Amino acid sequence: MTRWGGRPCRRPGAGAEEGKAVTGRWRTLGGAVLRILAVWAVSSLTLLLLAAVLPDFRLQSPGGDSLTRTALTAVLGAGAFGLLGALVWPLLVRAFLLVPALVLGLLVFFLNGSLLLVALALLPEGRGQVAPETAVIVAAVMSATSSATSAFLAVRNDEAYRRRLVRLAGRRARRAGAAGARTPGTLFVQLDGVGHDVLRDASEGERPLMPTVARWRADGHHLTPWHTDWSSQTGASQLGILHGTNHDLPAFRWYEKESGHTLVSNRPTSAAELQRRAVARTGDPGLLADDGASRGNLFSGGADQVALVMSVAARRGRATRSRAGYFAYFSDPANATRTAVSFAAELFRETGQALRSRLRRETPRVGRGGLYPVLRAFATVVERDVVVAAIVGDLLAGRTAVYADLVAYDEVAHHSGPRHRDTHQVLRSLDRALALLAQAARHAPRPYRIVLLSDHGQSPGATFLERYGLSLGDLVRAGCGLPVPRRVRRTHSGAEAREAARAALGRPEDTDGHGAASQPVVLASGNLGLVSFPDMPGRVTREELDRRNPALLGTLAHHPGIGFLLVRSAEHGAVVLGPAGAEHHLDTGRILGADPLAPFGPGAADAVRRTDGFPHVADIMVNSAYDPATGEVHAFEEQIGSHGGLGGDQSRPFLLAPADLSPPCLLYISPSPRDAP
């Protein structure tokens, strides 16, 4: 509109455009009202059906009511319950935010049932009567049906669907015209433990296990393998990706002599210390420092928006506690209902799969009882749902970069094997999650490039204990002339889900008791073992080991289940020992006998040499045997799908990136910091 001679002048067609805009707003408002009425109607019908089915629930006065009066009572009850849910529910969940996350998930059902009791108490003449335990069931069913109805109606309208995603994520979307909205953001989704060949095979064929990934590949995403260093595990890979260095991470867990403590990559205090060291080394806060978000990771990457991040899980305060991210998910009671049903289904699925494995006498096989079914359900259902909801919120908020880890496959593959049929269902569910994220990205205020990657793969094989009848700790004690206990203590799996579940429950960290200081400390990280002598300061040389325990190195190197050892010689520097007296002097390249590193492929010598330069490398580093024909290794933990050392698919993760990104520059192993200028 301009002015001419002091009078307003409309440009041609302006009135029509404004009229269309007004009409569009009224249509949007009308559509929203119709959806509310539809959800209300479905909730009322659900209430009527439940009152007819459940004996402890009625919607009539003690003397009875007509069908019309009963229906009106159901309408009023459903309306009161919906209104309380919209107004009071977020306040209730926020008030209980500091309780442990999984406790909050269970508490949701009781809070929701309490709201229903209040809603029925508001009905006139005491027509709404329900037992407290029945109220929990009624409230859960009503939340689920209303959520399903809302979703069904929303998918038919892009703007309504976008608003629903915003509500599900518990965040407000930024203004579409915000600065930088046209600049593409990047979503990094890490499929924990999925090797390159596993993803390739799952996304090929006429009916691929992962159709979303198959579609991305067909649309031009480039699938590229990359190689980890010796320590093929999440801590080393993710710290390097998010913070630019993984210097001095010799394994998943290791013993530090100067402090007498064991650092474990997925423990909150250890993760916080590793992140602190990385930031001090690089002088950079991390990949996600510029308006980024970190979800379900070990490290924050410098992001100010974190959820389920282990390096901040031990901190206190609403803004920094890892489990504060659960609020976004549990702020909708329908989410808790859906997740609880899926959680129970996963428990039954694991029980059935474990029983089938025993009946078929499948080998190799590890125990899958105890808490494992709960840990599996937590990783494959709870953590997945919460992380995906957090990512949806980040996309709709238009954040610059988001990095998230989905650990479901890794947890199941540890106990079933990397290519077992049990993992197929997990891959399908992960693909559905990726489809949801891609759909949410289309509603974001800025375009997004989705980068899919993994931190490592997994290698199959019977455990060292199952194959040879003794643990690595037993073998070390025998080589040192120490008594070997008759009953072997099984080593817990080092999977990420165990510590994530402990953090979610607010449980204290496990502590590692190492016994007398004169005895060796033996730790396992998949098929990588670490042997340290606490009573001998500094790195113990090969010569000192031979003087103190002359049979130890020979006992280890000649065992058929061990591929090679790394020790440091005062005379020759870093030395790799293998069977039949084979040696590889890494500092000079001299090889005596058959090269013990040859079966592990090109780059193995560089990987081992780099680890030898770490300040906290163990006195003896032990890598299990590897069969190139079968790809099998022998984990020193209770895992038939393992990672942590060298050998097979565990060292070969993947990167799936859009075609408009520059091709990755991938090395077999990062240069050693001591070689850097």
Side-chain angles (χ1 to χ4, degrees), residues 230-265:
W230 189 359
S231 180
S232 55
Q233 46 91 15
T234 306
S237 298
Q238 202 175 86
L239 193 65
I241 294 170
L242 292 179
H243 289 282
T245 178
N246 60 6
H247 177 67
D248 203 20
L249 264 78
F252 179 79
R253 54 172 65 86
W254 67 94
Y255 178 75
E256 298 192 346
K257 290 186 178 181
E258 66 271 22
S259 65
H261 294 153
T262 297
L263 267 66
V264 184
S265 299

Side-chain angles (χ1 to χ4, degrees), residues 595-647:
D595 184 2
L597 295 177
F600 297 89
D606 290 335
V608 176
R609 185 183 298 110
R610 178 174 186 257
T611 301
D612 178 75
F614 290 166
H616 292 109
V617 64
D619 295 327
I620 307 173
M621 301 285 289
V622 185
N623 202 98
S624 85
Y626 164 60
D627 186 346
T630 62
E632 293 186 350
V633 300
H634 302 299
F636 301 120
E637 302 181 82
E638 288 299 288
Q639 301 173 348
I640 58 174
S642 67
H643 58 88
L646 286 175

Side-chain angles (χ1 to χ4, degrees), residues 87 153 173 246 363 381 428 450 472 478 489 506 514 537 560 570 585 638:
L87 298 178
L153 296 173
N246 60 6
T363 56
V381 176
R428 291 190 186 97
I450 301 179
L472 177 62
R489 181 186 177 187
H514 298 305
H585 296 183
E638 288 299 288

Side-chain angles (χ1 to χ4, degrees), residues 350-360 368:
E350 163 54 26
T351 302
Q353 290 175 349
L355 178 62
R356 181 178 60 188
S357 178
R358 288 197 300 271
L359 292 177
R360 294 184 177 183
R368 291 162 62 170

